[in-house]
């Protein structure tokens, strides 16, 4: 036995469908066994999870923009993965754009991996990009291990990552279907978006510039292309709840479709966003409170598969460019560290139990990306675990989050529920109170995250 055994005992452990008393035996970086909470485990070091907390599998976030290399001042692998660990997230899948070069070739993936390797505190996988220039030549990037391909149907916000038109969307679907990969789509129809440029400081003007009809039109196109090609397709960051009936119908008809939404769409509403508060700008936009209620219906009835951060930060200067003009500020919300706390706070206020939302932070996003062994507590899985204090008060202070830039739509929000500690590959990597340092988070050791490859995952 190379390393000492560890047993973590908890009165409430999330074992895939419910919270139950259990003891998790960790050995050689993996979960060796799941036994009764009072079972003896000889020779093991013991950790007791107190009764006011729950033991969860490490969370999975399949939608994160790390931006390194190239725009490392926006976010980097070190800061992003530390923030993730503090949010209970042990696996992220990095988006192919906003870093330079964008991940649209196998060579660019190599550059990304080299940047991530020395700095990843958690496990990191990578999406590739499908852009007009590389259509027909996605094979080498697939072979290099990306988990699938992201495309935009409207301008992405960066010139080096152009969007696909409808014919190109169909071609990309055909190509990923032939590869056995998947296409993940930013679904807004550019024909129904207002032209780029200044919009002023009123949030309502920004919201009107990106109407629900734009999302609905693009989602219809994704469903149609997936149906015609048989490709696995995924709708990124659903904001428009009026598209849920079309998504439900497509899934019921057997289209290989998944859909995600984000904590900001589930917890923030347009009516609350102050004029000039460009930290709330993202695309598609945060919509009104009636829309938010319908999105929650899509969570509860199982139509929505995953809740992911779409952590898309920039520098404060860019987020504030235009001095509060919603047309000129960078569009993207930083939220990697706060997702479960934000969503649990809202779920609890709606009477929705924690175990109903947990799959959307674990097996849901793992399924979206095809990540085997992530987001589960079962023998043989990597020992990625996190402890969530479900009643712990948490007031978000953007300056104290571990994201690289201190600006977020969650600043000053009063939440309930906080990650207390996180293990990665059986090692404690984060402990919020360790060492008597009060509220100061503690990290242990050097970066131990692994770079994940879809090809290796499929073979495992
Ligand atoms: Zn994104």
């Amino acid at each position: 036995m190379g390393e000492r055994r560890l047993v973590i005992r908890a009165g409430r452990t999330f074992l895939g469908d419910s919270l139950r008393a259990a003891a998790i035996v960790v050995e050689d970086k993996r979960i060796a066994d799941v036994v009764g909470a009072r079972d003896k485990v000889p020779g093991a070091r013991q950790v007791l999870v107190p009764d006011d907390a729950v033991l969860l599998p490490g969370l999975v976030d399949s939608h994160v923009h790390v931006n390194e290399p190239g725009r490392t001042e926006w976010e980097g692998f070190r800061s992003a993965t530390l923030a993730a660990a503090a949010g209970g997230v042990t696996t992220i899948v990095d988006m192919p754009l906003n870093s330079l070069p964008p991940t649209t070739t196998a060579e660019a993936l190599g550059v990304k991996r080299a940047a991530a390797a020395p700095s990843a505190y958690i496990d990191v996988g990578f999406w590739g990009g499908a852009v007009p220039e590389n259509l027909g030549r996605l094979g080498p990037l697939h072979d290099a291990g990306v988990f699938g391909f992201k495309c935009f149907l409207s301008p992405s916000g960066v010139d080096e990552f152009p969007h696909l038109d409808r014919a190109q969307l169909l071609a990309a679907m055909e190509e990923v279907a032939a590869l056995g990969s998947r296409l993940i789509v930013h679904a807004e129809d550019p024909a129904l978006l207002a032209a780029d440029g200044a919009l002023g400081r009123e949030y309502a003007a920004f919201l009107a510039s990106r109407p629900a009809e734009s999302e609905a039109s693009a989602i219809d196109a994704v469903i149609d292309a997936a149906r015609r090609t048989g490709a696995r397709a995924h709708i990124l960051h659903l904001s428009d709840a009026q598209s849920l009936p079309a998504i439900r119908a497509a899934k019921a008809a057997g289209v290989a479709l998944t859909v995600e939404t984000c904590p900001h769409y589930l917890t923030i509403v347009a009516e609350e966003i102050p004029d000039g508060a460009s930290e709330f700008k993202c695309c598609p936009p945060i919509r009104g409170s009636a829309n938010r209620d319908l999105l929650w219906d899509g969570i509860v009835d199982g139509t929505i598969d995953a809740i992911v951060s779409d952590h898309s930060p920039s520098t404060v200067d860019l987020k504030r460019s235009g001095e509060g003009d919603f047309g000129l500020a960078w569009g993207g919300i930083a939220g990697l560290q706060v997702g479960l706390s934000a969503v649990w706070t809202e779920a609890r206020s709606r009477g929705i139990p924690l175990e109903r939302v947990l799959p959307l932070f674990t097996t849901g996003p793992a399924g979206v990306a095809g990540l085997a062994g992530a987001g589960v507590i079962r023998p043989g899985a990597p020992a990625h675990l996190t402890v969530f204090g479900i009643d712990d008060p948490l007031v978000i202070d953007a300056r104290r989050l571990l994201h690289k830039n201190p600006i977020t739509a969650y600043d000053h929000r009063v939440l309930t529920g906080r990650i207390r500690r996180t293990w990665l590959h059986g090692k404690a990597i984060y402990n919020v109170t360790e060492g008597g340092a009060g509220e100061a988070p503690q990290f242990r050791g050097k970066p131990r995250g692994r770079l994940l490859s879809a090809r290796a995952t499929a073979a495992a």
Side-chain angles (χ1 to χ4, degrees), residues 232-425:
R232 283 184 291 188
H234 176 67
I235 293 162
L236 296 161
H237 45 51
L238 178 75
S239 153
D240 166 35
Q242 292 172 56
S243 291
L244 283 167
I247 294 166
R248 275 187 202 108
K251 287 181 153 197
V255 177
L257 187 70
T258 51
V259 58
E260 68 186 33
T261 190
C262 307
H264 40 273
Y265 301 126
L266 295 169
T267 65
I268 302 171
V269 291
E271 294 89 333
E272 295 171 352
I273 298 177
D275 290 352
S278 50
E279 63 270 32
F280 292 92
K281 178 181 176 180
C282 61
C283 302
I286 293 167
R287 304 189 192 279
S289 66
N291 181 78
R292 176 177 62 172
D293 291 345
L294 291 172
L295 284 178
W296 274 103
D297 291 346
I299 299 291
V300 170
D301 74 12
T303 305
I304 297 174
D305 300 279
I307 301 173
V308 296
S309 66
D310 190 9
H311 180 68
S312 186
S314 74
T315 59
V316 175
D317 279 358
L318 278 174
K319 203 64 194 136
R320 290 277 182 233
S321 64
E323 286 164 8
D325 186 305
F326 279 98
L328 301 178
W330 170 256
I333 285 178
L336 178 54
Q337 192 177 330
V338 302
L340 182 61
S341 299
V343 170
W344 167 231
T345 301
E346 182 74 25
R348 171 137 89 178
S349 77
R350 291 168 181 267
I352 297 168
L354 181 64
E355 52 267 45
R356 187 67 204 86
V357 299
L358 287 173
L360 287 92
F361 285 92
T362 54
T363 48
V368 165
L371 279 158
V376 291
I377 295 177
R378 67 164 176 243
H384 299 335
L385 297 158
T386 194
V387 172
F388 184 56
I390 59 171
D391 301 314
D392 296 1
L394 177 64
V395 180
I396 302 298
D397 177 346
R399 294 163 305 171
R400 298 185 65 189
L401 293 174
L402 298 164
H403 308 153
K404 183 166 276 186
N405 286 285
I407 184 166
T408 174
Y410 298 97
D411 202 11
H412 309 304
R413 286 185 89 82
V414 178
L415 305 179
T416 303
R418 179 177 200 174
I419 296 294
R420 295 184 186 174
R421 54 199 301 180
T422 302
W423 289 266
L424 183 88
H425 296 293

Side-chain angles (χ1 to χ4, degrees), residues 63 65 95 97 150 152 237 310-312:
H63 193 153
H65 297 263
M95 280 293 167
L97 74 157
K150 179 181 193 178
F152 279 73
H237 45 51
D310 190 9
H311 180 68
S312 186

